[in-house]
Amino acid sequence: MNYLLIFESTHHVMKAEKLLLAAGFRLDIISTPKEISSACGLSIRMKPENTDLEMVRLVLTENGLTFNIHEKK
Amino acid sequence: MKVYLDNAATSWPKPPGVVEAITKYLNEYGGSPGRSGHDFAIQAAREVFETREILAGLYHVPDSENVIISANATHALNFAIKGLLEKGDHVIISHMEHNSVLRPLTYLHDEGLVRFDIARCDEKGYVDLEHMRSLILPETKMIICIHGSNVAGTIQPIAKIGALCKENGILFLVDAAQTSGFVPIDMQKENIDILAFTGHKKLYGPPGIGGLCMQKNISIKTLIHGGTGSKSDMAHHPEFYPDRLEAGTINTVGVTGLKAGIQYIQHKGIDSIRQNLSELTAHFMRELAKMEEVTIYGPEVHEERLPLISVNVKNKVPSDLAAKLDKEYGIMVRPGIHCSPLAHKSIGSFPQGTLRFSLGCFTTPEEVEYAIQSLKKIIDHENR
Ligand SMILES: Cc1ncc(COP(=O)(O)O)c(C=O)c1O
């Protein structure tokens, strides 16, 4: 299982990537799976074992980003 | 000897880093930003994102998503003018505007949609602020002003115009095509709502890249609808920036070059570039002023100006002089109207235009000296 962070625009994905990397998180960017969303072509994938979701939410909302988090097998 | 003194049209040469960045993109990771999730597309998207962040820092834009990439200042100005103005709106511009402002407004006027008035400028090109104020009507939606004149080199007091706009609840659109990268711009302090820039002049990027920066609350209707890589299953074009104003694949080649160009001037220091170029321009002006036949337009030598000098030579047509300089001396300059008939009317050089020498950060004192001597020779030779 992975967490998938879905944003409105590519710009937000890039901004989120920069913020999360700066906060020490590990992530990668993938094409958003069609069954999850068609909002933006890209999304951020994070592994649950090294991701504190509450911290992720805090970092992103503090910087004015809106997003959805999905769990993908 | 080849001497390029047409940097106000487009700067040349470009910093080596610009050529490297462009080559690297094309050779190593030429993907389409925001369209796919593979490595090259993501690298390209990062490059675009970082460029927006750098531009946001350069002009003090509150959020880098409000930095829109366009083909040039002309497209950016058209987006702002045609995307914001509505039927019945009134607009005020200065008498120094470029055709990239005058023509879209004239078009909207001829379509019966907007009216506009032109604030007087003095013979040096400075806008008459009191006249501008007196033109404000209840329907005045926007004031548009050129920051630096491509014709006379005049730098307008945009903070004062910004204050006038704020006081009267009017949008302020600034054409910073000539000043971006040369004069520091702070959209917050100077109350600029929307700023149009071009990448190929004093930001030292390649031609074909420019953009629009705006404050948070500006709602510009798009003129172009199409693919954005977002909300791809919807028939409706997305409303959020930057996608809203960026339908179609953007010029990533231009973006990578622009980023490297800005990094170059930031590394050199915008203030130190301006100081060097201003000294060289002042020297050039003082030497030209010694030639009796030469009339120099625009601000005086002790006043702040762009690194360009527009002149006329008694009994000579600018285009003949430019042709002589080019063919006989290898000096490339621009003669004529410079896309700004209004400006020439303000400074008194309409309809013949001017002969314009414009410097860039790679112009050397030797090149300036050569241009001075060459012009002198042409004048002396023809007076004999
Ligand atoms: C003052 C001014 N505004 C706008 C423009 C248009 O810039 P561009 O040709 O890059 O669209 C120019 C230069 O050509 C200019 O000098």
Side-chain angles (χ1 to χ4, degrees):
Chain A
M1 198 274 286
N2 283 310
Y3 295 136
L4 269 192
L5 279 60
I6 312 291
F7 298 85
E8 188 175 54
S9 64
T10 305
H11 185 80
H12 285 183
V13 175
M14 293 296 127
K15 185 169 173 181
E17 177 190 42
K18 182 179 164 188
L19 292 166
L20 293 173
L21 288 177
F25 288 101
R26 293 174 59 181
L27 57 86
D28 61 6
I29 296 178
I30 60 162
S31 285
T32 310
K34 185 69 202 138
E35 70 274 17
I36 291 185
S37 168
S38 63
C40 167
L42 302 179
S43 46
I44 289 180
R45 182 170 65 183
M46 301 178 87
K47 290 204 185 324
E49 50 274 26
N50 45 29
T51 302
D52 174 352
L53 263 195
E54 280 322 299
M55 276 303 291
V56 169
R57 282 202 176 90
L58 189 68
V59 169
L60 297 180
T61 46
E62 260 183 356
N63 286 281
L65 288 170
T66 50
F67 54 94
N68 286 310
I69 300 180
H70 290 259
E71 290 181 9
K72 164 127 172 86
K73 77 121 213 75
Chain B
M1 186 164 176
K2 288 282 176 203
V3 173
Y4 184 82
L5 290 176
D6 197 14
N7 288 278
T10 195
S11 57
W12 187 89
K14 305 299 181 189
V18 170
V19 181
E20 280 160 26
I22 290 172
T23 310
K24 184 166 187 222
Y25 168 72
L26 289 172
N27 281 337
E28 296 177 23
Y29 66 97
S32 182
R35 299 302 195 269
S36 318
H38 56 68
D39 185 34
F40 286 4
I42 293 167
Q43 280 193 55
R46 277 192 198 114
E47 202 58 15
V48 174
F49 173 76
E50 283 166 20
T51 306
R52 287 191 219 277
E53 293 263 293
I54 291 172
L55 285 160
L58 188 63
Y59 304 122
H60 302 255
V61 189
D63 190 326
S64 61
E65 72 181 336
N66 289 20
V67 175
I68 307 298
I69 301 295
S70 69
N72 47 43
T74 304
H75 283 209
L77 287 162
N78 269 268
F79 285 166
I81 291 169
K82 294 175 185 161
L84 267 169
L85 295 175
E86 289 167 338
K87 194 171 166 62
D89 285 340
H90 175 253
V91 178
I92 302 168
I93 65 174
S94 86
H95 219 296
M96 294 302 283
E97 296 315 303
H98 190 270
N99 275 341
S100 51
V101 167
L102 180 64
R103 286 181 174 172
L105 276 177
T106 303
Y107 167 77
L108 294 179
H109 174 267
D110 292 350
E111 292 288 300
L113 296 171
V114 308
R115 287 179 307 135
F116 66 99
D117 282 301
I118 307 178
R120 277 195 299 263
C121 293
D122 65 18
E123 74 287 351
K124 288 184 194 170
Y126 291 109
V127 65
D128 180 338
L129 288 171
E130 281 320 302
H131 186 231
M132 185 172 253
R133 180 190 296 277
S134 75
L135 295 171
I136 296 174
L137 301 173
E139 319 73 271
T140 305
K141 168 103 157 253
M142 188 189 282
I143 290 182
I144 310 176
C145 193
I146 187 168
H147 188 193
S149 169
N150 53 312
V151 172
T154 323
I155 297 170
Q156 301 294 353
I158 46 166
K160 286 188 184 156
I161 303 172
L164 177 67
C165 288
K166 191 174 182 189
E167 198 184 302
N168 290 278
I170 296 169
L171 289 173
F172 187 26
L173 167 59
V174 172
D175 170 3
Q178 289 292 343
T179 47
S180 296
F182 188 72
V183 182
I185 296 172
D186 185 332
M187 289 182 67
Q188 306 310 316
K189 277 201 194 125
E190 288 158 335
N191 282 308
I192 299 167
D193 294 293
I194 314 151
L195 181 101
F197 67 91
T198 201
H200 64 103
K201 297 183 195 276
K202 294 184 189 68
L203 296 174
Y204 297 95
I209 194 81
L212 200 61
C213 299
M214 47 193 167
Q215 302 284 6
K216 269 283 177 205
N217 52 350
I218 308 290
S219 179
I220 299 180
K221 277 206 224 94
T222 186
L223 308 176
I224 317 266
H225 304 82
T228 56
S230 49
K231 298 236 156 64
S232 292
D233 59 339
M234 309 267 293
H236 288 95
H237 192 80
E239 287 291 321
F240 51 83
Y241 296 125
D243 297 30
R244 175 170 172 163
L245 296 178
E246 285 184 2
T249 305
I250 68 167
N251 176 6
T252 316
V253 172
V255 169
T256 58
L258 173 62
K259 175 171 163 242
I262 301 172
Q263 285 172 333
Y264 176 83
I265 58 170
Q266 289 185 329
H267 180 71
K268 285 246 149 191
I270 291 178
D271 288 339
S272 99
I273 292 177
R274 189 171 66 254
Q275 201 176 337
N276 286 339
L277 268 178
S278 298
E279 279 167 20
L280 206 50
T281 307
H283 170 71
F284 201 160
M285 282 177 74
R286 282 192 218 98
E287 291 301 313
L288 289 170
K290 290 180 191 161
M291 302 181 206
E292 214 179 289
E293 300 84 352
V294 174
T295 306
I296 305 175
Y297 298 94
E300 310 275 324
V301 73
H302 60 271
E303 290 172 301
E304 210 194 350
R305 63 145 67 216
L306 295 177
L308 65 86
I309 310 172
S310 259
V311 302
N312 260 303
V313 177
K314 203 168 158 191
N315 301 325
K316 296 272 182 300
V317 182
S319 51
D320 291 348
L321 288 169
K324 273 211 166 63
L325 284 167
D326 179 32
K327 303 290 179 246
E328 294 172 22
Y329 297 90
I331 299 173
M332 293 167 268
V333 299
R334 183 170 175 191
I337 293 292
H338 315 300
C339 304
S340 309
L342 283 180
H344 288 281
K345 288 176 188 163
S346 300
I347 65 170
S349 57
F350 191 81
Q352 82 278 17
T354 60
L355 181 69
R356 184 183 70 185
F357 298 89
S358 53
L359 286 56
C361 71
F362 297 103
T363 304
T364 63
E366 293 71 32
E367 289 176 321
V368 167
E369 201 52 45
Y370 178 66
I372 294 164
Q373 296 311 328
S374 304
L375 185 67
K376 219 180 242 168
K377 275 188 203 153
I378 293 174
I379 294 172
D380 289 349
H381 182 76
E382 302 205 347
N383 284 349
R384 258 193 276 137

